[in-house]
Amino acid sequence: MNIILLGAPGAGKGTQAVKLAEKYRLLHISTGDIFRANIKGGTPIGKLAASYIDAGKLVPDDVTCEIVKDRLGKEDVKGGYMLDGFPRNLYQAEQLDGFAAIDVCLNIDVDPALLMDRICGRRVCSCGASYHVSTLNGKTTCARCGKELYVRKDDNPETVGARIETYEKQTAPLIDYYKKQGKLVAVDGGKGSPDEIFAEICKQLDKIL
Ligand code: ADP
Ligand code: ZN
């Protein structure tokens, strides 16, 4: 099974992706993680991507599509994968249709009013886990692996505002795109704990698998 995860920044894509990958044995492919690894490694792609990411804009389509196409060309995707953060606009979705067979698009829907607080309060770990500062009770390390948590460079109010706007203008139209293809599964990501939302996602997915 090949899944796309759709949702605004702060909708909980990353959190749910980690759980879904484990339960359904899917390979988790996050374009955001790929770009951050390139930035950390100082590669040419990282240098190019950084300025867009810091401004809350999309990294250019040619670069992004090439990275995903390459990644989906590898052997290890054969058992099924989950795309987290791609596609993010109609052009990317059309390109993807040319080189991948997607079964389901899972949209995690969250009231835009909640997003700013969710992202600006986010603390992340390099292992992929993320937390909200309000639930950490002053702890600064990861409950899963013990490493020190940090704030992502693009999780500041200015950049978050731009990211939400980019999502609404460019990414939200994809909900309709996948609905028309009959591939859309939607869950409410605004109510309940991450575990409750995960249970709802599984219930929906198990109906169609
Ligand atoms: P979030 O969903 O919280 O915004 P991501 O880690 O998915 O975080 O993405 C971080 C940034 O990486 C985005 O704001 C964007 O600049 C860049 N990016 C990630 N995926 C794509 C994509 N498919 N196309 C263009 N840019 C992307
Ligand atoms: Zn960790």
Side-chain angles (χ1 to χ4, degrees), residues 115-175:
L115 300 174
M116 184 61 86
D117 170 68
R118 276 203 185 181
I119 310 179
C120 292
R122 178 158 68 181
R123 300 292 179 270
V124 298
C125 178
S126 57
C127 80
S130 68
Y131 306 85
H132 193 272
V133 71
S134 63
T135 64
L136 284 169
N137 299 319
K139 276 201 295 290
T140 61
T141 52
C142 177
R144 188 161 88 168
C145 76
K147 275 186 280 199
E148 199 65 26
L149 301 173
Y150 63 95
V151 178
R152 249 169 63 176
K153 193 171 171 231
D154 58 345
D155 282 354
N156 62 74
E158 297 75 40
T159 308
V160 172
R163 281 158 63 199
I164 294 172
E165 206 181 307
T166 301
Y167 167 79
E168 277 165 359
K169 281 201 189 126
Q170 303 198 50
T171 313
L174 295 183
I175 298 172

Side-chain angles (χ1 to χ4, degrees), residues 19-39:
K19 295 169 182 287
L20 284 165
E22 202 170 300
K23 170 157 184 184
Y24 294 97
R25 299 180 189 281
L26 300 168
L27 191 70
H28 178 199
I29 301 173
S30 155
T31 41
D33 286 348
I34 293 173
F35 287 133
R36 282 185 287 278
N38 275 278
I39 291 172

Side-chain angles (χ1 to χ4, degrees), residues 40-119:
K40 208 169 167 196
T43 70
I45 285 174
K47 287 193 178 113
L48 174 109
S51 58
Y52 293 95
I53 292 177
D54 292 349
K57 294 185 178 150
L58 296 184
V59 177
D61 287 334
D62 52 347
V63 177
T64 309
C65 289
E66 198 56 36
I67 287 175
V68 176
K69 193 174 176 188
D70 256 25
R71 187 64 193 84
L72 296 187
K74 300 227 163 81
E75 267 306 303
D76 62 350
V77 305
K78 297 272 174 352
Y81 56 83
M82 187 173 40
L83 286 176
D84 167 8
F86 186 94
R88 255 180 153 96
N89 60 26
L90 280 171
Y91 178 80
Q92 293 181 3
E94 285 163 6
Q95 292 295 304
L96 182 66
D97 279 341
F99 59 75
I102 299 301
D103 302 297
V104 176
C105 173
L106 175 67
N107 182 44
I108 307 180
D109 189 34
V110 172
D111 180 351
L114 297 175
L115 300 174
M116 184 61 86
D117 170 68
R118 276 203 185 181
I119 310 179

